Structure formats: structure tokens, C-alpha cells
Amino acid sequence: MESRLSRYIWTHTRKQQLWILLIVALSMIPYFMSFDLPKQIVNGPIQGKGFEDPSATQTFMAISFDLPFIGQVDLFGGFQLDRFGTLYALSAVFLLLVVINGLFKLYINTYKGRLGERLLRRIRFELVDRLLRFPPAQFKRVKGAEVASMVKDEVEPLGGFTGEAFVSPALLGGQAATALFFIFVQNVWLGLIAAGMVAIQGFIIPRMRRRLLVLGRERQLTARELSGRISEIFDGISTIRSYDTTNYERADIASRLGRIFKIRYDLYQWKFLVKFINNFLASVTPFLFYVVGGYLALKGQLDIGQLVAVVTAYKDLPGPLKELIDWDQLRQDVQVKYTQVVEQFSVDNLIDKAVQDVASEDVPLREESISAVNLSLSDDSGARLVSNVSLSVALGETVAVIGSAAAGGEAVADAFGRVLWPESGKVTFGKDDILALPDSVVGRQLTYVSAEHYLFQGTLLDNLLYGLKHAPMRPAHYEADQLDHRNWEIREANAAGNPIHDIHDDWIDYRAAGIDEPEMLPGAIRAALDAVQLSRDIFELALRSAVDTDAHSAFAGSIVQLRHSLREELEKEDLSSLVVPFDPEAYNTEATIGENLLFGSPTGPELAGPAIAKNPYFISVATRSGIDRELYEMGLEIAENAVDLFSDLPPDHPFFQQLTFMTADDIPQYQLLLQKLKGRPYADVSAEDRIRIIRLSFLYIEPRHRFGLLTPELMAKIVAVRKEFHAGLPDTLKSAIEPYDPQRFTSSATLLDNVLFGRISHKYTDGSDRIRSIVLDLLKSHDLYEQALSIGLGYNVGVGGRRLTSVQRQKLGLARAVIRRSVHYVFNRPLPSLDHRIQQKIVTSTIELIRRRDPNASVVWVLSNHELVGLFDRILVFDKGKLVEDGTHANLVEKSTVFKELVSS
């Protein structure tokens, strides 16, 4: 990158800068005219110069030129106006000049803003582009939050300065010079006074502001460090809480904030001192004008019109001059910021751009071996990991790599995956150095995955298919109104030096997944998920997810039909009581009282959770029916029973797992509440206390909690109240609830709730597992399983995949690798959290899938479970950074002592 910002700006915006400079030059003409016009108005029609005779007139808007060799050329004779007409005409011209100058400023400022935003877009893209080409070691030396802060915040002022870089000194300098020149024309002595004050300001203020630059640089560095530190706290929060170091972190942050405060306070003090001096010097000049100019006017050496014009012109001088001084400070400030950013992004061994060029066409498979040639590897501290290792993996081989901790096998796998660069020697793909080959070859034909699975925020499907998105394969379809915006975006991307690739195109390379058509993708996804045993996890996520009925309308209709099949299946297996269905005319004993009252799924906050007990409409219905008192009495009994039964139990007692309406921490609070409410009539109880008691009733399920409080009469009354509730539901609440309907899909409920359309009976201890197995079989038998999986694949994994378990993240990371068709697969301990039995199943099924899809593909697997070596054709044994054994399982069992020790350990 260019070392100087001004050169960088000029290189990329030369044509635009020249154009706007031309506009600035043109704008000086009406700007100068607006200075002279007040003098003409004052001296002419106002003071009467040229209108001594009441009938006198003057020519207005005469257009003529005095040309060499030709003489006087008259284009327009103008108008003859009297004194009042001249006053109005000149005033109208003054107003016109104000409008013209304003339009010039509008155009110039808008153009500058657009120019600045374009360059800011260019700088940010270039920084991210360089980030994507950093050597692997660089990512271990810098914090991601600090780099993000530089790209997002620290380059922000550079965009604003782009439009000012050449235009502002020209515009402001031109305005200041024009005003100064005009003052000199009116009177030399006043011009000298103005020029002298300008020189003093130009000398003193920039030197005082150098301290501001130093403080600004310190502020930027400390803010960047704070950003990185906060990111560390976010990423390491579990460790911080585990070791009770939260207060240490608070102290560290407080110290950093104190340092930032001191820097910023010093900056403000110095900043306003400079501002005070600048304003003082600017205010002294009018004083001198009035003294000296007034003296000259009294002596008859300066007329009043000239003095007014000088004062008016000077009013326009301090502004441009101050802004010019501000521009100089901004120039120095952004140069410092730019230099610091360039230093951070100018690293050695940056990957060449050509390596990462887009290749949309099919890249022919390189059916060649991958080899390490005299390979030596070191970590960041310089400690040797591998010394002079040479090996080759042929096509179709399955190779297990084993060794003790830090034996060297993992480092070699990292070198194959290009996440660790050789200190000496090289890794070759065929005869070519792997680091010299383009990403379109190595990134597609060699698949590497380690235990450090990073999942991007988005859906499971986005992350699963991430490894297939090499280049835009099929253009997106745009409607006519969208096409204009897309064409505009292409023009702006070209102007900013950004690629014109459209993120909305279809980027999935289906051939890289071993398929020819998009319709075959679900089969490839299913095969990969089955191989890593992730299908059941995703199915469970699907059951707990809501379904977008707009995107899956046919599927939603099929689920409604599936309810009848579920009832038939349960009756066939003599399990008809396993699920108690919702019936508009009956109370569902396996649902809570709250669910029975609502008989629907809340879609808005008005009726969700505790909010229903505060809803005015619900309160009115409950009060009219009298059920509020009955629920209050029930809540009191529930609280008394819970306190009597559980108050003496420790908080971790398993009984609390059955107590869904109250936690161990709530017990003491309800003890105090019961004492407070004892003997108090319902009418005297506060609304807040009523809600706390009635809430217990809302969460009560008789078969689960078994307090014997739910009578047939109360159940019938609840059904009657809910009918009244839905019958009179106001329009404002109709969008807040989706009533249960046996013939409709409830879009706000989960997929499992829609299939069951009821609640699982608590009589069956394994009821949940049994119903899930039955639903799974039904979905498969009705050809709905693939669509159900697609619902689960729409689950958002969160930042870094944190909404998934560590085991699910590892399985998904392996599936993301397995779905790709490659020549070589390198798996570097991808499943460390799984038990050995599951690891064996996944390793076996993964190898089978790869071989079934492409028999010539090789697999290199660094094993965390050495018992699995029998699944591989060849075994590499590493010890102390050396390849000590290389052979088949049978040979090593017979001859190698190191191998036997590793396998038996």
C-alpha cells in the first residue's frame, strides 16, 4: 500500500479531483462578485452616487467587451433604471448570487461526500483483501477485535478526508485569497492588517495543534487495545467466571478507561485553548478595521461603501481560514491514522493476489500424490515441531497418523492444510509446491479439517455448504425494479475498485459436491450428515423449531394430515393414551392451566408468558367469570404445598426438576408471601401479589404435580372461559395469538407440537423418546423426512456456532469437509470430544462415503483414538518430531515396539 495518504488518494481519484477543482475555480467568479455587489448597492442607490438628479437613470445589465484590434463590442445595451429600480435590481442580483454560491457549495459538498465514501469503500475492501492474504502466523500475533476496529473505525476519517484532500485547500484557500484580494483592492492598509493577522494565525495555530496530534494518536492506540481486551473478555468469559477473576478484569478495564480519560481530558483542554486563541485573533481584526478604517473614512481617504465592503468581506475570511487550519490538522491526523493502519497490514510473506483469483470454471482434478519433502516445521517461538520429514500419500490410500502429544503428526497435517508454513523443505501436490498453487486448485482438491472448527453465524445449512462456495456459478434473477439498483451497484463497485461479484448469485459448486444438479443436493447433504451421525441431532432441532409456512406451505399441509396418521399409529401400537390431543370442547389434562385457558400459541408479547396475567382484556374476562378468584385460591394451595414439601430440601435436590412452576430460589420468597397474604381477603391483595400467586396456577399440570387441585367443575369452567375469551377477542389482540385448530398448521408452534397437536402423557416415563421415534418413522414413511431435515438445517448456530454443543460443532465441521469431492482429505484430530465408540462409527462411515463416491481419493487421518488404526491401509508413527515408522497394521504389530506402546496406551 502507498505510504502517504495524499498519494493514495491522488492515484485512485485523479480524474474526479481535477473535475471538482475545475468546479471550485468556476465557483470563485460569483463568489468574488458577491463581495463587490454590497459596495455598489451602498454607494449607488442607497447613498445616491450617480442619482444626484431625481430623474437620473443608470444602465443595468449592459454586456460589452473591449477586444484588441477590434475595439468595443456591444452585445446587449441593458436596461435604464431609476434609483429605486436599480436598488431592487442589484438586490435581486445579490440574492441570485447567494443562490448560485449555495448551489455550487451543494454540488461540491455532495460530490466530495460521494468521492470520500467511494475511497473509504476501496480502503476497507483493500484491507480485508490483505487480511485474507495474511500468512497463517500473522493471525496468532494480532487480535481480531483490533483488526476489526481498524477496518471499521480507524479508517472512517480517511473517507471523510478524501473529498477534502485537494478540494478544501483549493476552495478555502481560494475563498480566503479572494476575500483578501478584495480587501487589498479597497484599501492597502486594511489589506495589510488582514494579511498580517492571517499570517499570525497560520504560524501559531498549526504549531499548537501538533500536541493534539500526539494525544489523538495515543487515544487511537488505547481505544484499539481496549477493543481487543473486551473481545478477550467475551471469548474467555467461562474461564473468567470459573476462576473468580471478574473483579481482576474490572480493575484492568477501569485502569484502561482511566488512561483513556486522562488522554481525552488533556486533548480537550489543549483543543479549547487553541480554539480560544484562534477566535481571539479572528476577533481582533474587525477591531483594527473599525479603528483604522474609521480613521481613514473620517479623513476622507476611504468611503463608507468601501469600509462596509471590507468588513463584509472579512466576515467571509476567518471562516475559510479557520477551516483551512482545521484541514491541515485533519490532514496530519489522518496521515498518522493511515500510517498506523498501513503498518499493521503491511506484513511479510503476504500471499500473492493471483493465488486467490476467482475461477468459476471447472478445475480439472489433479490425480496426483501429495508429499512432504525434507519438511521441517517450527512454532511461533521457534521450537522445532518436525525435522526433515519426507513422505508421500498416493491416490486411493487411507493413512492413519498416530503419535504421542506433540509428536509431529499434527504439525505435518497442518502443513498439508497450509495452516502452518514450512521452515524448510516443502509440501508438494504432484510436482508443484502447494504454496505456489492457486486456491482454486488446492482449496478445492485438498480438504483439510482440524479440531478447531469455526462456524460462521448463520444457519446449519450455510455452514454445511460453506466449503462449496468458491465462485459465483449461476447469476441471480432480478426483477425490473431491482435490476436498476444492481446496475448502480456494479457501477459503484467498479468506481471503488471492488469486485462486481454478486453475493446473491448461486455460489454453490454442485460438481464439487459430486452432483450435477441442484435437485441432487439434498441427497448429498443427507449422505454427509449420516456419515458423521449428525442427522438425528438436526432432526431434533427441526422438531424444536418453528416452520416458515410461506417457504414450506406444502410441508405444513402434510403435517396437518400426518396428525391423523399419528393417531392411527398410536392406536395400532396400543399407545393411544401416549398423546392427549387438543380438543376445543375439552380440557387437556396434560397441558398447563395457562395453555388450556389460551388454547393457542402466543405470537406477540401481549399474551406471552407472565404478560397474560397483566393483560386488561384477559383480566376483564377472568373477573366476569369469577375464575380469577378460583385460580388465586388454587395458587395459594400450590404455594403452601410446595413450601411444605420442599422448603427443607437442598437446592440441588432432584425433586426440584419436577417443580416446573417454582425454583429452589423461589421457595423463601413464597414463604414470606404466604405469611403476608395469610387471612387477607382477595379484594385487599395487591395486583402484583395476585399475579405472583395466579402464575403458579397457570403452570400447574395435575398428572405431573399431583396436588389434587383440578376438579371436573374447574376444568369445565376453564373451557367455558376460554370460549368466552376467544369469542370476544378484540382486533388489537387477534394478531397476538394463533388459536389451536385441528385443521390448521400453527405457524408459531414447533414442528413437534404441530405433529402431536396435543401433549405427551406423563404416565409414560419414556414418553418423549417413544413419540420422537414414532414421529421419525412417520415422516420417513410419508416422504417428509428430507423436508423436516431442511427445517433443522435452517437453525441458526449463533456466533462461532455457540448455540450448538461442542460435539455437534465437531460433527458439523467434519460434515462440511466430507460433503466436498476432493482428491485428498486431511483430517487432523477432528473429533476429540467424542467417545471412542462413536469415533469408530464416524471414521468408518466417513471413509466408506469417500471411497464410495471416489475410489481414488486418499484419506490422511491424525487419530486421537489409536485403536482405530486397523481401519486404514497404512500407518505413520511420529515420535519427537520424526517419522519413526511407516507400514501396514500387520507389519507394525509384528515389528514396531513404538507402535505397540502407542496402541496399548
Side-chain angles (χ1 to χ4, degrees), residues 820-864:
R820 289 162 36 111
R821 184 188 178 200
S822 295
V823 178
H824 299 283
Y825 296 86
V826 180
F827 302 129
N828 192 358
R829 298 183 186 269
L831 306 169
S833 300
L834 277 67
D835 65 56
H836 289 185
R837 181 179 58 84
I838 300 297
Q839 280 192 32
Q840 181 174 3
K841 290 182 178 179
I842 293 177
V843 171
T844 302
S845 58
T846 298
I847 294 175
E848 288 177 353
L849 173 62
I850 292 172
R851 282 195 156 167
R852 184 170 63 249
R853 190 171 56 198
D854 189 353
N856 290 326
S858 72
V859 176
V860 178
W861 203 307
V862 182
L863 294 173
S864 51

Side-chain angles (χ1 to χ4, degrees), residues 362 365 444 447 465 467-468 470 474 508-525 527-528 816-823 825 849-850 852-854:
D362 289 337
L365 290 177
R444 303 183 191 186
T447 295
L465 302 181
L468 303 176
H470 312 301
R474 296 164 185 81
I508 298 174
D509 185 354
Y510 297 99
R511 295 181 66 84
I515 57 178
D516 296 322
E517 299 294 337
E519 292 74 18
M520 302 172 66
L521 185 60
I525 291 174
R816 180 167 62 188
V818 169
I819 199 172
R820 289 162 36 111
R821 184 188 178 200
S822 295
V823 178
Y825 296 86
L849 173 62
I850 292 172
R852 184 170 63 249
R853 190 171 56 198
D854 189 353

Side-chain angles (χ1 to χ4, degrees), residues 101 128 131 169 233 242 252 267 277 282 291 369 393 413 432 441 473 529 580 649 656 742 767 812 883 892 897 899-900:
N101 285 325
V128 175
L131 174 67
I233 291 174
S242 298
D252 181 44
L267 191 147
I277 294 174
V291 173
S369 62
V393 178
D432 297 314
V441 174
M473 307 303 293
L529 296 178
V580 178
L649 297 179
F656 284 109
L812 181 57
L883 177 60
L892 294 180
T897 305
F899 173 74
K900 292 177 183 177

